Amino acid sequence: MKYFPMLLFCSSLLLIIVSSTATDTINTTQFVREGDTIVSAGGTYELGFFSPGKSKNRYLGIWYSKISVQTAVWVANRETPLNDSSGVILRLTNQGILVLLNRSGSLIWSSNISTPARNPVAQLLDSGNLVVKEEGDDNLENSLWQSFEHPGDTFMPDMKQGRNRITGMDWYMTSWKSPDDPSRGNITYILVPYGYPEILVMEDSRVKYRSGPWNGMRFSGTPHLRPNPVYTFGFVFNDKEIFYRYHLLNRSKLWRVVASQNGDITNFVWVDKTQSWLLYGTANTDNCERYSLCGANGICSISNSPVCDCLNGFVPKIQKDWDAMDWSSGCVRKIPLNCSGDEFRKLSGAKLPETKTSWFNKSMNLEECKSTCLKNCSCTAYSNLDIRDGGSGCLLWFGDLIDSRIFIENEQDIYIRMAASELDAGDAAKDNAKSNVKRRIMVSTALSTGVLVLIIAVVFYVWKRKQQKNRNISGGLGRSSNYKHKKEALELPLFDFDTMAFATRNFSDENKLGEGGFGLVYKGTLKDGREMAVKRLSKNSRQGLDEFKNEVKNIVKLQHRNLVKLLGCCIEGEEKMLIYEFLPNKSLDFFIFDEAKSLLLDWPQRYHIINGIACGLLYLHQDSRLRVIHRDLKASNVLLDYEMNPKISDFGLARCFGGNETEANTNKVAGTYGYISPEYAKYGLYSLKSDVFSFGVLMLEIVSGYRNRGFCHPDHQLNLLGHAWRLFKEGRHVELVGGLIFETCKLSEVLRSIHIGLLCVQENAKDRPNMSQVVLMLGNEDELPQPKHPGFFTERDLIEASHSLSQNKPCSANGCSFSLLEAR
Ligand SMILES: *[C@@H]1O[C@H](CO)[C@@H](O)[C@H](O)[C@H]1NC(C)=O
Ligand SMILES: *[C@@H]1O[C@H](CO)[C@@H](O)[C@H](O)[C@H]1NC(C)=O
Ligand SMILES: *[C@@H]1O[C@H](CO)[C@@H](O)[C@H](O)[C@H]1NC(C)=O
Ligand SMILES: *[C@@H]1O[C@H](CO)[C@@H](O)[C@H](O)[C@H]1NC(C)=O
Ligand SMILES: *[C@@H]1O[C@H](CO)[C@@H](O)[C@H](O)[C@H]1NC(C)=O
Ligand SMILES: *[C@@H]1O[C@H](CO)[C@@H](O)[C@H](O)[C@H]1NC(C)=O
Ligand SMILES: *[C@@H]1O[C@H](CO)[C@@H](O)[C@H](O)[C@H]1NC(C)=O
Ligand SMILES: *[C@@H]1O[C@H](CO)[C@@H](O)[C@H](O)[C@H]1NC(C)=O
Ligand SMILES: *[C@@H]1O[C@H](CO)[C@@H](O)[C@H](O)[C@H]1NC(C)=O
């Protein structure tokens, strides 16, 4: 609580000093001026004057009072900055209007009320909401004015985002112009009340992102919005209001969602340990989240290359444009609709198309919905409104279907109207459809966190492109006669074959560093002494040259301090090579599984490595525009730099080799025994959660110093996962920790790491946390959920499961970390 002197301000400008007690409230005889603040009862929020960023202007605002980093969550006079706030006061009028007056009594800013108050007070609540109310009436519903109803760029727990349907007032966020200027920027984050409501991110009047309609459980484009132990969320749609909001289960956490200037909706959580805000997820980041990227009747799949396709039964409207990767013209039907004899084709796992012009009825069932759609010739699709309890309600689309994408985790189906003859043709090609389903499953776990969800992922750092550096390195840039275009060279550094052959002494055995998933790796040294790692890809990739180059360009852009940097590539005839930065300290397996070398890694270093890998993986999953699933994360794919910082290698390669995911590609690396998840081994499904599984294995290996595969114990036949799980259940998991680690460790961190590792390796992919949750769990000390039993906790499980998939003999040698499973 803060005590501060209060001044009584009378209209006669007579000042009387009133000794005042600490308070979160001002009444009509008190006011706030420069230097004063009022603090909410629990001490979380503070209201007063401040200057954002480097600005010299003064603003009246609300910020977090307990943290060292000044973070304003609301600004009153965002459009009318004060040059100088001396003599400026905030007071409450007798009618209940908050007014900000300058020294000469001119109005700078005011709140607004519809009915005059009798005995008003203004109170700063512990939710961060500044409320004007009748004294003694604590019911928020009766309040006269709330700052929560006039959001700035920050969406806070318990704030409503939507519309009051009685007054027509919209509650929406607008970005700041810049970190130094809180005036309204051009990004708005708004729930549109037309058709069936959805949340949009707009840049001026252009839609950038769309959440998809609420389906009873979440917005259709936000499959990650799921029940969780941190917050609850809800959508209310009735005659009085439409809104979305979330509510924190533990009030003492500091969370906020911000509409940033670039249009990303970012959410942050405060981490006491580091005294900083963690960027806990950026929604709408991947390419498929770009509104209507694939045009009308197109569909986006983030791990397809290219990402756009037409809906089944449609073809590109302007093929030439599509060939040039401009999909905006969209798709048209192969066979026009015949109003009377049409039928429907089901599409599963989709983010529902735009509902701006949709019609809905909450009480119809799916059959009624279908027949209603059939009756109207311009109706093009239908679906349930609510997917709970087997589905209910009816949502109809008219005309083109805009902005659909594929998500594996969406349970939602939509039925798309087709000419009967198209449907027959489609059925004939059922195989095709099947492979589509498979593709969809494989592909789309790439999931976007939907906007509001926001609350799902953490990133520790700011990503800086180091283009400049890249350019320097491309001193070895080749002039391969095929690829002379300068512009391309800048985007995709190309090295020529002769340079590489020289650097690796003609790919000599002495220069061989190892053998990775996609080919041999050599150490290269350029004439000027620069070192690099050259991966010579095996020649079996079926991918076309353009596709390959496109993917390499994408991977070059993935830059993070916990990823091995790809410097460029070398293409000559059949030969393809990837050029990486060279890391002298070899890979993690070299240290942790070796009795002598493991002494070099004490607990703080291991913990640092665990955190680094988590951040790198999170970046791949969540923050890069590609949403890369690594698919082969393991100790030998984590390299260490001079300072023992971990760097993940071999990421994105599956994409490079991917080509058409629907085709069985016998040369594809699919994972390594001991690290692959049950769903991959059994069904060939990979997703972000398969990487989480591998990460969990890796964590347990780092803590224990044992390989998962090849682990043996006199008492049982379990592998490391089974062993850890067994000890955990008996409360003895501390026994997993090896001697040296034990001496240098912070026990709570070690135990927590084991616990998190076990959460990551749970059998059911849905139970596993995502990487953002993992990073958050590593970053704080909250209670963790109980893990369920791990997948593959005996060696037998794995061998049996993989048998059905692989024609390869399972690797039998202990510690054969290069043994690779081949995809079906
Ligand atoms: C406002 O609050 C102060 C301090 O609590 C009190 O002395 C004063 O009487 C109050 N004024 C009104 C109008 O309630
Ligand atoms: C800001 O204040 C200075 C001096 O107090 C004055 O000269 C200047 O005109 C003011 N600027 C604005 C924009 O009010
Ligand atoms: C108060 O605001 C008015 C209107 O913006 C302005 O004309 C006046 O100069 C300001 N007075 C002071 C003392 O800043
Ligand atoms: C106050 O609200 C009314 C309607 O609710 C609006 O017409 C008026 O312009 C508002 N006044 C201010 C100062 O915002
Ligand atoms: C929106 O504002 C940002 C900077 O704040 C600017 O870069 C961008 O061009 C603006 N967009 C439009 C459509 O004006
Ligand atoms: C809420 O979080 C705080 C700090 O993170 C913690 O001390 C407290 O125990 C938590 N409360 C509950 C009910 O979990
Ligand atoms: C529409 O379909 C019905 C039944 O399949 C067929 O009899 C009719 O000729 C079709 N009409 C057109 C215009 O194609
Ligand atoms: C919604 O559907 C129900 C059940 O079919 C029907 O009784 C009702 O009239 C429909 N409402 C509207 C507005 O069409
Ligand atoms: C079909 O639906 C559209 C959009 O709701 C409506 O404008 C049109 O009148 C309907 N046509 C018929 C024949 O019901």
Side-chain angles (χ1 to χ4, degrees):
M1 298 258 178
K2 291 206 175 172
Y3 290 75
F4 56 89
M6 270 209 184
L7 298 177
L8 184 69
F9 182 76
C10 303
S11 44
S12 64
L13 289 178
L14 179 70
L15 299 178
I16 302 165
I17 293 168
V18 176
S19 75
S20 106
T21 53
T23 181
D24 58 354
T25 307
I26 57 169
N27 63 21
T28 52
T29 59
Q30 299 166 311
F31 55 81
V32 179
R33 59 170 193 178
E34 181 69 54
D36 292 340
T37 60
I38 66 174
V39 178
S40 66
T44 311
Y45 293 95
E46 189 165 358
L47 175 141
F49 291 92
F50 76 106
S51 295
K54 296 191 221 79
S55 170
K56 294 220 167 61
N57 286 332
R58 300 297 286 172
Y59 295 88
L60 178 76
I62 298 173
W63 60 85
Y64 296 96
S65 68
K66 282 181 184 161
I67 65 176
S68 48
V69 181
Q70 188 196 59
T71 312
V73 293
W74 182 79
V75 179
N77 55 321
R78 64 188 297 200
E79 302 296 344
T80 47
L82 290 159
N83 188 341
D84 162 25
S85 59
S86 66
V88 176
I89 54 158
L90 172 74
R91 57 165 296 213
L92 184 65
T93 67
N94 290 330
Q95 294 79 40
I97 300 174
L98 284 166
V99 290
L100 195 59
L101 304 171
N102 74 4
R103 204 169 356 173
S104 49
S106 297
L107 187 67
I108 306 294
W109 170 87
S110 78
S111 65
N112 196 355
I113 53 166
S114 43
T115 47
R118 276 168 292 119
N119 191 15
V121 292
Q123 185 179 18
L124 182 59
L125 304 181
D126 246 337
S127 56
N129 194 358
L130 177 64
V131 175
V132 178
K133 59 183 192 179
E134 294 291 354
E135 190 170 12
D137 185 349
D138 287 340
N139 187 346
L140 210 55
E141 300 267 297
N142 300 339
S143 68
L144 303 165
W145 182 89
Q146 306 179 31
S147 64
F148 268 21
E149 297 201 327
H150 303 270
D153 70 338
T154 306
F155 186 47
M156 291 199 284
D158 299 322
M159 200 157 173
K160 291 175 183 175
Q161 158 105 28
R163 166 175 282 197
N164 180 332
R165 299 182 85 187
I166 294 170
T167 63
M169 189 207 280
D170 285 320
W171 306 303
Y172 65 96
M173 299 194 280
T174 42
S175 63
W176 286 16
K177 273 225 171 75
S178 78
D180 307 329
D181 180 2
S183 63
R184 279 185 189 80
N186 57 18
I187 301 292
T188 51
Y189 178 40
I190 188 165
L191 189 137
V192 284
Y194 319 113
Y196 196 68
E198 308 187 71
I199 287 176
L200 301 183
V201 176
M202 317 271 295
E203 180 173 1
D204 286 334
S205 54
R206 192 175 62 85
V207 180
K208 278 186 78 111
Y209 167 83
R210 189 181 67 89
S211 68
W214 187 260
N215 62 21
M217 298 177 77
R218 63 186 69 96
F219 293 100
S220 145
T222 62
H224 267 172
L225 195 52
R226 288 180 184 273
N228 66 74
V230 182
Y231 62 94
T232 58
F233 54 88
F235 181 70
V236 170
F237 183 16
N238 57 33
D239 292 341
K240 279 163 59 189
E241 48 192 2
I242 321 172
F243 66 83
Y244 170 81
R245 83 175 147 195
Y246 72 100
H247 174 74
L248 288 184
L249 293 171
N250 186 342
R251 265 277 184 90
S252 60
K253 281 230 156 34
L254 306 182
W255 290 86
R256 65 202 169 95
V257 174
V258 176
S260 62
Q261 283 104 38
N262 65 7
D264 287 346
I265 303 300
T266 46
N267 62 101
F268 295 91
V269 57
W270 179 257
V271 179
D272 271 334
K273 226 182 196 173
T274 57
Q275 287 292 300
S276 62
W277 287 104
L278 278 191
L279 177 56
Y280 190 74
T282 313
N284 61 309
T285 50
D286 77 34
N287 275 339
C288 282
E289 304 278 58
R290 283 160 58 189
Y291 173 75
S292 195
L293 178 71
C294 302
N297 308 308
I299 188 147
C300 197
S301 263
I302 192 63
S303 40
N304 279 2
S305 178
V307 290
C308 285
D309 210 341
C310 287
L311 286 166
N312 203 348
F314 290 78
V315 289
K317 186 170 181 193
I318 305 175
Q319 186 65 48
K320 195 162 54 74
D321 289 354
W322 274 64
D323 291 344
M325 300 218 187
D326 170 7
W327 305 288
S328 54
S329 56
C331 306
V332 292
R333 286 176 189 277
K334 271 189 226 159
I335 304 174
L337 290 178
N338 162 347
C339 188
S340 59
D342 295 335
E343 285 166 44
F344 292 89
R345 179 181 275 150
K346 178 168 155 181
L347 172 65
S348 297
K351 167 179 171 182
L352 295 180
E354 183 170 70
T355 52
K356 194 161 72 184
T357 58
S358 292
W359 178 93
F360 66 92
N361 180 321
K362 285 183 181 171
S363 46
M364 278 183 181
N365 63 30
L366 205 59
E367 263 316 300
E368 291 168 313
C369 192
K370 178 178 179 180
S371 63
T372 311
C373 186
L374 271 179
K375 276 184 213 137
N376 184 325
C377 290
S378 53
C379 175
T380 46
Y382 70 92
S383 85
N384 270 141
L385 207 53
D386 191 325
I387 59 171
R388 288 172 299 180
D389 307 326
S392 62
C394 175
L395 185 55
L396 301 184
W397 282 263
F398 301 92
D400 286 333
L401 303 173
I402 313 274
D403 193 42
S404 313
R405 69 174 292 182
I406 289 290
F407 279 122
I408 183 180
E409 287 196 2
N410 254 8
E411 299 89 349
Q412 193 133 24
D413 299 327
I414 177 173
Y415 299 84
I416 299 173
R417 192 174 195 147
M418 292 286 151
S421 50
E422 157 61 31
L423 219 53
D424 295 344
D427 288 345
K430 215 159 200 166
D431 284 346
N432 213 353
K434 244 191 224 157
S435 68
N436 268 346
V437 168
K438 191 174 157 223
R439 177 210 274 179
R440 193 178 305 144
I441 289 171
M442 298 183 93
V443 150
S444 54
T445 316
L447 318 168
S448 97
T449 350
V451 176
L452 281 172
V453 201
L454 305 172
I455 302 198
I456 304 179
V458 187
V459 185
F460 270 98
Y461 58 87
V462 178
W463 172 28
K464 283 182 188 159
R465 287 175 193 232
K466 294 179 183 164
Q467 296 255 334
Q468 200 56 46
K469 242 184 187 172
N470 264 353
R471 264 173 227 164
N472 291 343
I473 284 155
S474 50
L477 245 187
R479 286 216 195 105
S480 171
S481 53
N482 295 330
Y483 309 107
K484 281 184 188 153
H485 310 294
K486 267 194 190 147
K487 188 170 161 234
E488 181 174 55
L490 285 179
E491 269 183 68
L492 173 65
L494 286 167
F495 294 79
D496 70 18
F497 184 83
D498 295 343
T499 309
M500 286 303 107
F502 173 84
T504 59
R505 292 202 239 157
N506 244 337
F507 306 100
S508 70
D509 276 354
E510 300 106 78
N511 276 39
K512 201 160 114 181
L513 292 172
E515 181 165 5
F518 295 85
L520 296 171
V521 186
Y522 297 88
K523 180 174 177 185
T525 312
L526 292 182
K527 282 188 182 136
D528 62 10
R530 278 179 294 164
E531 298 178 327
M532 48 190 54
V534 181
K535 176 165 249 179
R536 195 178 193 184
L537 300 178
S538 47
K539 293 179 185 167
N540 308 315
S541 164
R542 293 192 193 172
Q543 206 168 29
L545 209 52
D546 287 340
E547 261 176 298
F548 176 79
K549 287 199 312 188
N550 197 32
E551 287 304 346
V552 174
K553 259 185 234 165
N554 283 333
I555 300 172
V556 166
K557 286 183 202 143
L558 295 176
Q559 293 192 14
H560 183 267
R561 61 161 189 254
N562 295 117
L563 299 182
V564 175
K565 193 188 291 166
L566 177 63
L567 305 177
C569 68
C570 167
I571 306 171
E572 189 130 323
E574 282 281 277
E575 193 79 57
K576 292 174 190 161
M577 277 174 259
L578 295 174
I579 322 297
Y580 290 97
E581 66 176 317
F582 176 73
L583 294 167
N585 260 346
K586 306 212 171 162
S587 51
L588 184 59
D589 57 331
F590 186 74
F591 288 91
I592 56 176
F593 302 136
D594 182 287
E595 214 168 304
K597 297 205 185 66
S598 72
L599 297 176
L600 298 172
L601 282 185
D602 62 7
W603 174 252
Q605 273 172 317
R606 286 178 196 236
Y607 195 57
H608 174 71
I609 289 171
I610 290 173
N611 277 294
I613 300 169
C615 288
L617 198 54
L618 175 66
Y619 170 80
L620 289 176
H621 283 185
Q622 202 86 40
D623 203 52
S624 67
R625 303 226 161 218
L626 284 177
R627 306 248 161 178
V628 173
I629 304 174
H630 190 294
R631 290 200 256 176
D632 196 19
L633 183 67
K634 56 186 173 186
S636 60
N637 269 340
V638 175
L639 308 184
L640 298 170
D641 72 5
Y642 283 105
E643 294 170 319
M644 291 294 187
N645 293 309
K647 291 179 178 256
I648 301 173
S649 73
D650 268 11
F651 55 89
L653 283 193
R655 287 182 70 93
C656 258
F657 269 74
N660 187 348
E661 298 286 1
T662 63
E663 280 174 35
N665 180 346
T666 48
N667 296 307
K668 191 158 56 191
V669 173
T672 302
Y673 281 116
Y675 293 95
I676 56 173
S677 63
E679 70 275 9
Y680 182 74
K682 288 183 186 152
Y683 311 112
L685 299 180
Y686 61 78
S687 69
L688 299 178
K689 294 290 183 73
S690 326
D691 278 357
V692 172
F693 186 93
S694 308
F695 175 77
V697 174
L698 195 47
M699 255 180 113
L700 294 172
E701 290 183 338
I702 294 171
V703 173
S704 69
Y706 296 114
R707 287 182 196 278
N708 180 31
R709 185 169 161 74
F711 177 81
C712 62
H713 194 275
D715 296 350
H716 56 66
Q717 297 292 305
L718 302 172
N719 62 14
L720 179 63
L721 302 190
H723 180 58
W725 167 242
R726 191 161 143 169
L727 290 175
F728 183 85
K729 273 197 309 189
E730 292 167 8
R732 295 162 50 206
H733 46 309
V734 64
E735 291 172 27
L736 203 62
V737 183
L740 168 85
I741 306 173
F742 198 83
E743 284 157 28
T744 56
C745 81
K746 209 173 142 193
L747 199 57
S748 64
E749 273 175 5
V750 171
L751 296 181
R752 202 170 166 84
S753 300
I754 297 172
H755 194 147
I756 296 170
L758 284 169
L759 287 169
C760 293
V761 297
Q762 293 176 95
E763 168 130 51
N764 188 341
K766 275 195 181 162
D767 293 334
R768 292 174 215 147
N770 54 32
M771 284 315 295
S772 48
Q773 287 162 333
V774 170
V775 173
L776 188 65
M777 287 186 225
L778 285 167
N780 71 28
E781 271 148 34
D782 290 353
E783 203 169 312
L784 298 170
Q786 283 307 304
K788 297 182 187 148
H789 72 78
F792 285 159
F793 50 101
T794 69
E795 203 83 330
R796 264 179 68 91
D797 290 341
L798 175 58
I799 292 170
E800 276 167 15
S802 54
H803 230 76
S804 56
L805 257 193
S806 165
Q807 302 128 358
N808 226 7
K809 278 185 224 88
C811 176
S812 54
N814 277 2
C816 178
S817 67
F818 284 118
S819 59
L820 301 169
L821 254 190
E822 289 189 331
R824 198 181 51 79

